[in-house]
Amino acid sequence: MSISEFRKKVTGGTALAGTFMKTPSVDMLEVLILSGLDFVCLDCEHAPFDRVTISACMALARAADFPVLVRVPSSAPENIGKALDDGAVGVVVPHVTSADVAEKVARAARFGHGGRGYAGSTRWAGYATRPMPDVLAQSAAETIVIAQIEDPEGVDTADAIAATPGIDALFLGPADLSVAYGYDHQNSDELNAAMEKAGAAAKAHGKGYVTFVADADRAAAIRKHGFSMFFIASEHAWILQGARAQVAGIRALD
């Protein structure tokens, strides 16, 4: 999966497997790229990434021609701009609760009046080696903006969010939504209804539909709602899963 084809794959409904990366280390990203994933998302909302580490990871991603997203801490324009300037193929933005929030997020990620600040000397722009028309064309073709629907208000306005120009995909956040609905599990009727409603909105407006799953079995179980892009667990979960399985195997020798 190359960077140039990633956006079309997301909006086109191709089944994609990625993960949230929680460990702020370029070495970890290198290992994840070797795993065969279609993409990785640096989780800058819930993990201790700093700007230097993000920059190092993006240098690797660009050199490997591998799609790396950033889940920004919030929808603040400076968070979105920094991630894209460093080289992210796109951003995952938490708590998009209305069309107004979606419009501001989309504008912050796109060049134009009141939008993303233009700088030709960033990694993403080629460090002042490329003309402005090329850089602007790259943004139009490559940059992807994924709006997280993880609040009841976001579910209620999912159609308007999906209709917002510059929003490329909806990310249904099952854990946050479940907690917001008052549950300690992810199997409620309310969550299933939210998945269906947001999926219908994404389909109606030709947008990608994304979610988080613990494993491929869960992805298969909810595929009926229209999801095609899956953030599967994290490297933390996979390390624990693999280690525990091998420990259990050794314990069984006694």
Side-chain angles (χ1 to χ4, degrees), residues 163-246:
T164 303
I167 297 297
D168 299 291
L170 303 185
F171 185 133
L172 196 289
D176 277 302
L177 263 179
S178 293
V179 172
Y181 287 140
Y183 295 100
D184 61 359
H185 59 81
Q186 298 181 32
N187 298 304
S188 68
D189 291 341
E190 286 91 338
L191 180 61
N192 286 325
M195 289 180 174
E196 191 67 24
K197 182 172 183 177
K203 182 178 181 180
H205 297 284
K207 305 300 173 73
Y209 196 30
V210 187
T211 195
F212 171 87
V213 292
D215 52 41
D217 288 341
R218 177 61 174 168
I222 62 173
R223 184 83 153 99
K224 62 186 178 183
H225 296 298
F227 296 111
S228 61
M229 184 177 180
F230 298 96
F231 286 59
I232 308 166
S234 69
E235 84 282 12
H236 288 177
W238 290 343
I239 290 168
L240 287 167
Q241 182 182 41
R244 285 169 174 167
Q246 297 309 313

Side-chain angles (χ1 to χ4, degrees), residues 76-218:
E78 58 267 29
N79 291 331
I80 294 170
K82 287 176 182 178
L84 295 175
D85 282 351
D86 283 343
V89 70
V91 288
V92 178
V93 183
H95 300 292
V96 178
T97 55
S98 68
D100 181 59
V101 175
E103 191 277 331
K104 291 176 181 177
V105 165
R107 186 189 310 136
R110 314 287 178 177
F111 293 114
H113 185 206
R116 178 182 174 186
Y118 185 87
S121 59
T122 65
R123 172 180 296 106
W124 180 85
Y127 291 119
T129 62
R130 302 170 59 218
M132 182 182 284
D134 287 359
V135 173
L136 296 178
Q138 178 184 346
S139 175
E142 173 186 298
T143 300
I144 183 166
V145 180
I146 301 175
Q148 285 200 247
I149 308 299
E150 50 189 349
D151 306 275
E153 297 87 346
V155 175
D156 292 341
T157 58
D159 189 75
I161 293 170
T164 303
I167 297 297
D168 299 291
L170 303 185
F171 185 133
L172 196 289
D176 277 302
L177 263 179
S178 293
V179 172
Y181 287 140
Y183 295 100
D184 61 359
H185 59 81
Q186 298 181 32
N187 298 304
S188 68
D189 291 341
E190 286 91 338
L191 180 61
N192 286 325
M195 289 180 174
E196 191 67 24
K197 182 172 183 177
K203 182 178 181 180
H205 297 284
K207 305 300 173 73
Y209 196 30
V210 187
T211 195
F212 171 87
V213 292
D215 52 41
D217 288 341
R218 177 61 174 168

